[in-house]
Amino acid sequence: MTERVRTAIRVEGVVQGVGFRPFVYSLATSLGLGGLVGNDVNGVFAEVEGDPAAVDQFLASLARDAPPLARIERITTAAMRPDGTASFAIAPSEAGSQRRTLVSADTATCEDCLAELADPRDRRFGYAFINCTNCGPRFTIVRDVPYDRPRTTMAPFAMCERCAAEYRDPADRRFHAQPTCCPACGPALSLRGAAGAVLPGEPLAATAGLLRQGRVVAVKGLGGYHLAVDATSETAAAALRARKHREDKPFAVMVADLAAARQLCEVDETAAGLLASSRRPIVLLPRLPGTGLAAAVAPGNRQLGLLLPYTPLHHLLLAAVARPVVLTSGNVSDEPIVYRDSQVAERLGGIADAFLTHDRAIEVRTDDSVVRAFRGREAVIRRSRGYVPEPLALATAFPRPVLACGAELKSTFCLARGNHAFVSHHIGDLENAETLRSFTEGVEHFRRLFDITPEVVAHDLHPDYLSTKYAANLAEGRVAGAADLAGVELMGVQHHHAHIASCLADNRAAGPVIGVAFDGTGYGTDGTIWGGEFLVADLAGFERAAHLAPVPMPGGAAAIRQPWRMAAAYLDAACPEGQPDGLDVTRRNEALWPGVLQIARRGVNSPLTSSAGRLFDAVAAILGVRDTINYEGQAAVELEQLADPGEEGAYQATVGADYPFKIFGYELVRSVAADVTAGVAPGVIAARFHNGVAGLITACCLKLRERHGLTTVALSGGVFQNLLLARAAAGRLESRGFSVLVHSRVPCNDGGISLGQAVVAAAGGRPR
Ligand SMILES: [Zn+2]
Ligand SMILES: [Zn+2]
């Protein structure tokens, strides 16, 4: 008989609440090993004892065959003295703090649960809340840690005998599945009318009936309420748009499966992987023509956001409706998504004809995530449900715990300690009391879940952002529930430096790089509004090496809402000897044009900006795309849609000779105006403009490479959500020998700012 060995094993990462202990149990018993497995504050520990070959086989399988939701960060082993144990046991959980362990993200219904859902002999057949250790709600139901049922919104549901038996059985797929339940003991659906009365009939079938009749139904999901309509019904989609006061922004569409997705959009392999992943984000895809989808779903858009069902409720609903369904955030206009049952009637009563709801509470408001494929990788545009609160692994550790407060639009915060950066779910535009409350409560919730007490708090330089004020209030001990942070060290981080640092952290890089940060608005170190910036930057600091030549924003914020004002300012800069005659944009706005020119020239309420977003706005207005916008970035989005992808021409513009270099974006505008006057097709002009901007970026980076010797370029800022520009810029840069870093795990827009602030603070950031 060979000698027995015993090995102690520690597994760190997302390994609790994901079926790790039953996996270890069945692996060990199948190999005839004795020992134990348990959870503690650092993750999972195990000891296995037996034949050396079997122990080796156990160790080899441990990482390779781990349960699908586990995210193993590290496995360490140590030899022990065998004690003759032949049986294998699951050790009871220790009482006390388990906060260093990680809460997993919400996860789409697994194949095993789907099979049971569809099996008439199964006791959970057709049950809208089926889940197991491999799938189901997590982050959205967790109230506190350690993660177990009494600390989730499943607490009010006492398990029935059969569910409890599965929960206790280490060999069962539902062993310690905290949200497990069945029709006998778990949550139940109800369909209510606009007045709150329960409607007759089986709720899912009745909901499907209403949708097929063209009604608007509010549907309670994982992180909030959605508004649903039949995506093939023109009147239903138009009614939803009108009631929601959402004039143009595209709606997302849920389809039953990949085959249904392929009937609406081009779905390549990368996109299929994203659609079907257990995170189940909305994936932006190129639309196919003539699909029978209502025009009001995504008016004038070449792209469509699709997602597959991610809860059993969605699977059942889509099967019953048997058509694509619009599934958009349950809110009015730009308010946060409704997630509390008590607010639904008041806030969605004027929009929805009925409410498909249930009695499991949502703890954390979480929107659907939005992604797309870019350069063969996932590019996250909104990081929320399915991704959060999974930490981002970075190249270097945080020497001390950090809270980063983000910016204003598409707000997120980031708490970081050790090797982990926890970027929050998308909170929305931090412009009102409701989103500020979500932000404040979110910070508290994350601090509790991950046991982080920040020693430094990073914030934007903009003095008027609510996130900046929040940081100041924290340090002064004026935030309720966070009085312990009074006196905490504050660190202001310049907006575009945070963008570039975010792109570096996203790519596990440290720089220095040439950072191209193109966005709408960011507060500069000189008090002007930046947004067309070339920074020579690393994590610790930056130098403003080049930027778009500033132009006035006539009327300040009004110029953001009314791109035609930027057209006036840019045309004035482009043609100082007199603006070209016969431009429609001038004619359309002739009553106000001279006054706007006057305040721009005199600098009255016309702050200077180097914003790239405003340059795109100006060109959009000149091309007649639109004079006013209904949502942030709309003019630029539509300009991209207009551009003819086959046009290779590019307008030229100059990079100035003096350092820091100025880039004369208005020269592009001069070419745009000339081609408009000459009657060139708008799609061709839009493409030549995009190519011109990409050419300018490349020309400027070449000058900076000559001066600084840097060969890597990081592209960040919301303007790079523009695929046409991002592709053209990255392609041109690579053809000139640059390595190009783009975002993948966090958004290039302001949703990524908090991560950038956190890594700058960790590096001891300072302006140079
Ligand atoms: Zn499952
Ligand atoms: Zn049960």
Side-chain angles (χ1 to χ4, degrees), residues 277-297:
S277 84
S278 63
R279 303 179 186 281
R280 292 287 156 109
I282 295 170
V283 184
L284 301 182
L285 297 161
R287 227 172 142 162
L288 296 173
T291 57
L293 214 61
V297 169

Side-chain angles (χ1 to χ4, degrees), residues 19 83 86 149 154 165 171 205 272 283 306 393 464 469 509 536 547-548 670 685 722 763:
D83 65 6
R149 193 172 179 108
M154 282 300 289
V283 184
L306 292 186
D464 297 332
K469 293 178 175 169
V536 168
H547 58 88
L548 276 173
R670 191 182 301 151
I685 299 176
N722 182 324

